[in-house]
Amino acid sequence: MDWDEEYDLLAAGERSFIDRVRNAPDDDDVVTRPADDVSTLSAEGETPLHQLIRHWINERNCLDILPAQEELLVNILDHIRRQSQTVQLLREDASTSEDEHVRIMLAQTEMERVKFIVRSYVRTRHYKIDKYARFITTNAEIQTRLTTGELDHARRYANILDRHLYKCVLQSLPPSQAHLDDSIPFVPSMITQPDKTRPVFVHALRDCPPIRLPDGTALEMRKNHISLVPYYVIEQLVARGEVELV
């Protein structure tokens, strides 16, 4: 199921995959779980899987690049790797019953679902990194939100893009016009950067302090309140985890 199909389910009022994952009951045969399981609750009462889903949705709906959740991804991928090894051992065991094979199939399906979320999260970040590569190389603050690999990719991509534009266009122009970073009054910047003035839908996870809207009025979002506001207005609330994008 792609993102458009997921959106259609939401628009039709049906339970989406996101809701099914969040509200899925535990398996009856699960008695105990290891401490590093993806179902282990965090201090905020979220499992790592729920955290991943929240960061995934935030990243998809955010106009900027959010801080990378590298540790969370490593823990989840490590758990999937260990589960895959366990499943493979059970599949090769001749004593495994038919009922256990059904459970193995369900476990594999669930692992594929988690892998889909991980891939979608990573692809979303890479799309933004490619789009804002030249801006990333000039902005020290946004660089702190990227992993080492993401930052290296952004620098390589920006360098390749600059060389391509120079060979195709800039070398044929007069020196005064052969630039990619000209700053002209009342003209949009030549370096693509996130437009934080665009509106986003935001859902309050708890009671939030008042925020100042562009027209000067104050908005106080209570828990579960949903608003449509410019991203820069709630940027810090997203960073603190007080709200989520929807």
Side-chain angles (χ1 to χ4, degrees), residues 34 36-41 47-50 75-77 79-80 83:
D36 59 345
D37 196 338
V38 293
S39 61
T40 303
L41 293 177
T47 67
L49 178 57
H50 290 175
N75 291 339
I76 289 179
L77 290 176
H79 178 77
I80 292 176
Q83 273 198 335

Side-chain angles (χ1 to χ4, degrees), residues 32-77:
T32 59
R33 303 179 186 270
D36 59 345
D37 196 338
V38 293
S39 61
T40 303
L41 293 177
S42 66
E44 292 77 19
E46 286 185 314
T47 67
L49 178 57
H50 290 175
Q51 293 177 47
L52 175 63
I53 294 173
R54 177 167 55 84
H55 290 303
W56 168 50
I57 298 175
N58 279 347
E59 196 69 64
R60 288 192 65 94
N61 291 289
C62 185
L63 306 171
D64 202 356
I65 302 177
L66 298 174
Q69 302 299 317
E70 188 173 14
E71 182 178 356
L72 176 62
L73 285 178
V74 168
N75 291 339
I76 289 179
L77 290 176

